[in-house]
Amino acid sequence: RMDKAKMSLDEIQERLPRTMPNPQLPEGAEKDLYFYFLQREVNRMRALMDQVWSCLVDIELVLEGARQLNPEQDALIQAIYNDRVPSAWASKAYPSLRPLGGWFADLVLRSDVLSEWQRQGQLPPSVWIGGLFQPQGLVAAAIVHHATHMSWPLNEVEVHMEITRKTADEVALQGAGSAPVARKGDGVLVHGLWLEGAKWDVRLGAMEELKPSHSPGEIPVVLLRVTRVEDQATENPFGVPLKESSNSYNCPVYYTQQRGETLVFSGVLRTRHGGQAWVRAGVAMVLDPYNSV
């Protein structure tokens, strides 16, 4: 057991950065709500990394015989041996169903993406929403940013989920200037949303039926467009007004396929069928499509 745990620890120490530096703005740039949101994400990533490294140092001392094994360290070694995420790490992280190996690879990818965002010093052409600790915070930043820019009252603002025909790579290659957000402050482009229980027809720009045996499929880049409304709109679970009609479906978005308490927010998707059919089918979007079953 100790030998296997030691091998896993060595791999983690080799690949995981020690910490994350504070975000820095390019010279002459002004701080905006996206910058403050990035700061919060970096702080949470740093806290998670610090927790992981603290545990690794303690376990290394135990394996070297320099410290006696206590119950907490024994539980951590047992979790690593069983390819499970230790509870001490999960408590600082985000909802995930992945085993330790996949969880760690995902953690490294998330830290790399945040580091690149820091290096660029500005909002990416498309944000990997599935790689965030608090995705709803990004949407809230977009709402407040645009409402402030346009001098709109926050209670008169709503978010439209507009699914483009582009992939994240296409948006990145073309640059933000030719992406659907043509004017600064219209909203934010995101990717990393997976549709479960239905498929997205890019040609029709609408949801279609999916065979039950099929796995979730990633939808194209989504523009979360911030607009002003004159009439009262229905609010979704995290307070962003969203419109729904007979040819649309207010689709819940969850962190994982476990759903339940991992609800993040909801977004209206176009459909050629009534919304109730998708309610009965349990259609939802997830940020991490990994299924432990």
Side-chain angles (χ1 to χ4, degrees):
R1 186 183 74 153
M2 291 295 190
D3 289 342
K4 181 179 178 180
K6 181 67 165 62
M7 290 176 61
S8 298
L9 292 173
D10 289 343
E11 180 184 359
I12 293 173
Q13 288 177 319
E14 182 179 341
R15 295 179 56 195
L16 184 67
R18 281 284 179 178
T19 188
M20 294 198 73
N22 289 320
Q24 300 294 324
L25 280 174
E27 186 176 350
E30 294 183 0
K31 293 182 179 180
D32 58 17
L33 286 171
Y34 295 122
F35 177 82
Y36 291 115
F37 170 76
L38 174 60
Q39 276 189 320
R40 291 194 297 271
E41 287 289 309
V42 168
N43 288 339
R44 294 192 66 170
M45 179 61 75
R46 185 186 297 115
L48 174 55
M49 287 181 169
D50 289 347
Q51 179 73 359
V52 172
W53 274 108
S54 175
C55 292
L56 293 179
V57 171
D58 288 343
I59 295 302
E60 196 165 40
L61 291 173
V62 169
L63 295 176
E64 291 173 353
R67 181 176 296 177
Q68 284 195 328
L69 183 68
N70 64 33
E72 291 79 14
Q73 293 158 352
D74 183 61
L76 192 142
I77 291 174
Q78 188 64 41
I80 293 174
Y81 176 79
N82 292 325
D83 198 27
R84 291 186 290 105
V85 181
S87 58
W89 301 355
S91 65
K92 296 285 187 181
Y94 30 80
S96 177
L97 301 178
R98 295 173 181 266
L100 179 59
W103 181 88
F104 175 67
D106 184 58
L107 169 62
V108 172
L109 179 59
R110 288 167 182 258
S111 68
D112 288 345
V113 170
L114 278 180
S115 295
E116 179 61 19
W117 186 348
Q118 287 180 290
R119 191 183 69 81
Q120 294 291 338
Q122 59 184 358
L123 192 69
S126 176
V127 177
W128 177 31
I129 195 168
L132 301 174
F133 284 86
Q134 193 179 24
Q136 58 269 51
L138 177 68
V139 185
I143 291 169
V144 178
H145 175 84
H146 190 51
T148 302
H149 178 71
M150 299 298 293
S151 299
W152 291 346
L154 286 176
N155 62 352
E156 295 180 8
V157 174
E158 70 174 359
V159 176
H160 289 278
M161 181 178 281
E162 300 177 8
I163 301 181
T164 74
R165 296 173 181 265
K166 300 179 184 295
T167 65
D169 288 341
E170 289 171 340
V171 170
L173 285 174
Q174 293 178 359
S178 57
V181 181
R183 301 181 303 277
K184 183 179 180 181
D186 271 0
V188 60
L189 288 167
V190 300
H191 63 276
L193 288 161
W194 298 74
L195 190 59
E196 182 180 27
K199 67 178 180 180
W200 185 258
D201 190 310
V202 176
R203 183 178 61 84
L204 295 175
M207 284 198 308
E208 290 293 324
E209 293 184 4
L210 178 70
K211 294 180 180 179
S213 59
H214 283 59
S215 301
E218 186 175 10
I219 63 176
V221 168
V222 174
L223 169 59
L224 300 175
R225 187 185 292 278
V226 182
T227 61
R228 188 174 186 178
V229 289
E230 303 299 331
D231 55 339
Q232 187 73 22
T234 302
E235 291 190 352
N236 76 5
F238 91 117
V240 179
L242 293 164
K243 283 187 176 179
E244 186 175 14
S245 62
S246 59
N247 64 342
S248 65
Y249 171 57
N250 198 8
C251 186
V253 180
Y254 296 92
Y255 278 103
T256 71
Q257 286 187 277
Q258 192 175 38
R259 302 193 180 188
E261 295 181 357
T262 71
L263 180 68
V264 181
F265 53 82
S266 61
V268 174
L269 300 180
R270 287 184 57 199
T271 171
R272 296 190 299 165
H273 311 283
Q276 286 302 311
W278 304 115
V279 173
R280 290 191 295 269
V283 173
M285 287 184 282
V286 294
L287 301 181
D288 185 349
Y290 179 85
N291 192 337
S292 59
V293 177

